[in-house]
């Protein structure tokens, strides 16, 4: 009996060893000091180090990630997290950047004591390439769709203006419906193209000296009629002496238009929407706050995804592209965006534009 058990465990050991050797994912294990104890062939291919070079070396010497030490996956496992899965950019030995999906977890003995950690790395290069190709294709498709839509809308408008003769009331009715639908489609294509160009980095911010107070005031003035139509008060509070930032004025305005536009759109009549800013070195932090319905925890994690619309907004117009676009713009400026909200207690969207890109006067 014990013999059979031994044979089984040997076979399962062979089997798992075989799998680790053949799996396309890099498998790396380390002891609690972070010294490498296993390094499979996929790890050799992905990192550019041979097994013999890697064994016994510190994981930090072999694995390099964008963001440095703070992003080192096993650090979080040593810090107490059971398992961490994340997307990172890995730098191979030759300096090549490889997009990867990393799962790291602690290795425990029968009593649960940690005796090491394991990292499994999947190369996402092909997935990313296909994803980018798909996005380019959709972008081209949307671009080609725009010309006939704009052209057709122009012809319909000419008909409605009576340029080709008088129309009967039912004909006007039909054409007005077609006109509205085309307008909606054109707006969707325009918003999508804006998002897609930022996402694909075809549209790159053109930073200039940004007159923060002037730009904020301009957007508020532009959106005032929208707010007034809902009896919403728009309040703007900017501290004096906000430094001139380096940012793309058009894109900065698009951020404010989207955030303030949403705040007005989702808030009840008679409420207030605030635009605040404050200097919090190393950035200027902007806040758009409202007294609207707030956002549910289920929606929160998807908020910045393209075409995502929250629960219960089906009867409010929108394409679900505003926040996705805003996020791309803020990312492209090196800033951060986040939201503080709870259902029934309004929402506060915060974003930062770093001061380091500020046009500081030469000393
Ligand atoms: P859209 O407004 O066109 O749906 P967005 O990308 O701008 O798309 O917003 C995504 C979703 O986030 C919205 O559908 C809505 O559910 C939620 N949302 C955004 N801003 C607010 C806000 N100020 N208050 C409540 N919900 C909001």
């Amino acid at each position: 009996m014990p013999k059979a058990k031994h044979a089984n465990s040997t076979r399962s050991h062979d089997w798992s060893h075989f799998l680790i050797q053949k799996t396309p994912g890099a498998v790396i294990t380390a002891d609690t000091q972070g010294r490498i104890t296993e390094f499979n062939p996929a790890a050799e291919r992905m990192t550019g180090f041979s097994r013999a070079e890697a064994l016994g070396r510190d994981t930090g010497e072999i694995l390099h990630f964008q963001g440095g030490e703070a992003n080192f996956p096993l650090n979080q496992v040593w810090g107490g997290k059971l398992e961490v899965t994340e997307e990172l950019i890995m730098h191979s030995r030759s300096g090549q950047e490889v997009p990867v999906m990393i799962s790291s977890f602690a290795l425990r003995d029968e009593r649960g004591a940690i005796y090491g950690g394991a990292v499994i790395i999947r190369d996402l290069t092909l997935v990313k390439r296909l994803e980018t190709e798909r996005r380019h294709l959709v972008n081209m498709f949307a671009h080609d769709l725009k010309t006939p839509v704009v052209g057709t809308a122009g012809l319909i408008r000419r008909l409605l203006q009576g340029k080709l003769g008088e129309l009967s009331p039912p004909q006007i009715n039909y054409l007005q419906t077609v006109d509205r639908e085309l307008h909606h489609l054109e707006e969707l294509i325009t918003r999508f193209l804006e998002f897609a160009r930022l996402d694909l980095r075809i549209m790159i911010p053109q930073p200039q000296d940004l007159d923060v107070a002037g730009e904020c005031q301009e957007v508020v003035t532009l959106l005032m009629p929208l707010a007034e139509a809902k009896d919403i008060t728009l309040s703007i509070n900017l501290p004096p002496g906000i430094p001139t930032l380096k940012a793309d004025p058009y894109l900065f305005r698009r951020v404010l238009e989207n955030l303030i536009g949403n705040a007005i759109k989702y808030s009840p009549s008679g409420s207030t929407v605030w635009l605040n800013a404050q200097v919090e070195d190393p950035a200027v932090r902007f806040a758009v706050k409202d007294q609207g319905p707030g956002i549910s925890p289920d929606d929160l994690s998807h908020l910045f995804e393209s075409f995502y619309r929250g629960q219960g907004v089906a009867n409010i117009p929108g394409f679900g592209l505003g926040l996705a676009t805003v996020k791309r713009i803020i990312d492209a400026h090196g800033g951060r965006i986040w939201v503080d909200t709870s259902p029934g207690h309004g929402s506060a969207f915060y974003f930062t534009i770093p001061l380091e890109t500020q046009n500081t006067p030469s000393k």
Side-chain angles (χ1 to χ4, degrees):
M1 256 335 231
K3 222 174 183 179
K5 194 174 171 196
H6 176 73
N8 272 345
S9 73
T10 309
R11 204 175 303 154
S12 86
H13 175 265
D14 287 350
W15 178 235
S16 51
H17 181 73
F18 177 78
L19 276 182
I20 289 170
Q21 293 305 302
K22 294 294 172 196
T23 182
V27 179
I28 299 161
T29 60
D31 62 19
T32 47
Q33 262 84 54
R35 282 188 304 257
I36 294 175
T37 50
E38 188 47 84
F39 203 76
N40 74 345
E44 293 184 312
R45 284 195 298 278
M46 242 181 258
T47 62
F49 288 95
S50 71
R51 183 170 189 270
E53 285 173 308
L55 289 185
R57 298 261 292 274
D58 194 281
T59 34
E61 289 176 52
I62 303 293
L63 300 175
H64 300 279
F65 298 98
Q66 208 164 63
E69 183 79 357
N71 265 343
F72 195 73
L74 277 176
N75 284 351
Q76 297 187 50
V77 171
W78 304 145
K81 285 204 178 168
L82 286 182
E83 189 170 337
V84 186
T85 297
E86 56 196 331
E87 265 190 60
L88 288 172
I89 300 289
M90 191 172 88
H91 295 272
S92 73
R93 187 180 202 173
S94 61
Q96 197 190 347
E97 292 190 348
V98 188
V100 291
M101 175 72 83
I102 300 218
S103 300
S104 1
F105 44 90
L107 296 172
R108 293 167 185 273
D109 62 20
E110 308 79 51
R111 282 170 296 140
I114 294 179
Y115 66 91
V119 187
I120 296 174
I121 308 175
R122 277 192 300 137
D123 187 340
L124 298 182
T125 308
L126 185 64
V127 176
K128 293 280 171 194
R129 194 182 309 142
L130 290 174
E131 173 69 7
T132 307
E133 268 174 33
R134 187 190 61 78
R135 286 188 292 175
H136 272 290
L137 210 72
V138 178
N139 179 44
M140 270 161 50
F141 178 71
H143 181 260
D144 288 354
L145 208 63
K146 190 165 178 174
T147 315
V149 168
V150 171
T152 314
L155 292 177
I156 299 283
R157 255 157 251 159
R158 283 176 66 79
L159 282 174
L160 279 169
Q161 285 160 0
K163 296 260 160 86
L164 274 89
E166 211 174 308
L167 298 168
S168 69
Q171 286 171 330
I172 293 178
N173 206 1
Y174 263 50
L175 288 176
Q176 279 174 339
T177 307
V178 175
D179 186 44
R180 262 197 313 277
E181 292 301 319
L182 283 175
H183 183 73
H184 186 75
L185 189 57
E186 191 186 330
E187 181 73 9
L188 169 61
I189 296 171
T190 306
R191 292 290 149 251
F192 175 74
L193 284 175
E194 180 187 39
F195 163 75
R197 284 175 184 157
L198 284 158
D199 194 41
L200 289 164
R201 306 212 176 117
I202 297 170
M203 192 196 286
I204 306 221
Q206 306 293 322
Q208 294 172 22
D209 287 352
L210 189 85
D211 165 18
V212 175
E215 297 293 350
C216 289
Q217 194 54 60
E218 212 167 286
V219 174
V220 167
T221 307
L222 188 82
L223 293 177
M224 198 56 96
L226 213 62
E228 278 171 0
K230 274 187 86 177
D231 190 24
I232 286 176
T233 308
L234 259 187
S235 165
I236 171 165
N237 306 295
L238 305 176
I242 292 191
T244 305
L245 294 173
K246 277 269 189 229
D248 185 312
Y250 168 76
L251 294 177
F252 180 77
R253 279 198 296 272
R254 293 291 299 131
V255 169
L256 292 182
E257 280 163 18
N258 272 302
L259 295 181
I260 302 174
N262 274 351
I264 296 170
K265 185 164 74 168
Y266 293 109
S267 292
S269 311
S271 62
T272 302
V273 170
W274 294 270
L275 166 63
N276 302 333
Q278 69 189 79
V279 183
E280 277 187 356
D281 205 5
V284 176
R285 193 192 73 174
F286 297 86
V288 176
K289 298 186 191 184
D290 64 50
Q291 298 175 308
I295 298 165
S296 78
D298 287 347
D299 287 334
L300 269 181
S301 52
H302 303 286
L303 226 49
F304 298 103
E305 290 169 11
S306 55
F307 292 111
Y308 187 80
R309 302 213 67 213
Q311 297 157 19
V313 300
N315 56 349
I316 302 176
F319 302 115
L321 285 167
L323 292 180
T325 302
V326 164
K327 169 111 174 64
R328 300 306 183 281
I329 296 174
I330 299 300
D331 286 350
H333 282 85
R336 244 169 32 84
I337 178 159
W338 69 100
V339 55
D340 186 7
T341 179
S342 60
H345 293 96
S347 309
F349 282 86
Y350 296 94
F351 70 92
T352 60
I353 303 278
L355 277 168
E356 64 207 40
T357 48
Q358 175 198 341
N359 191 25
T360 39
S362 52
K363 294 196 176 127

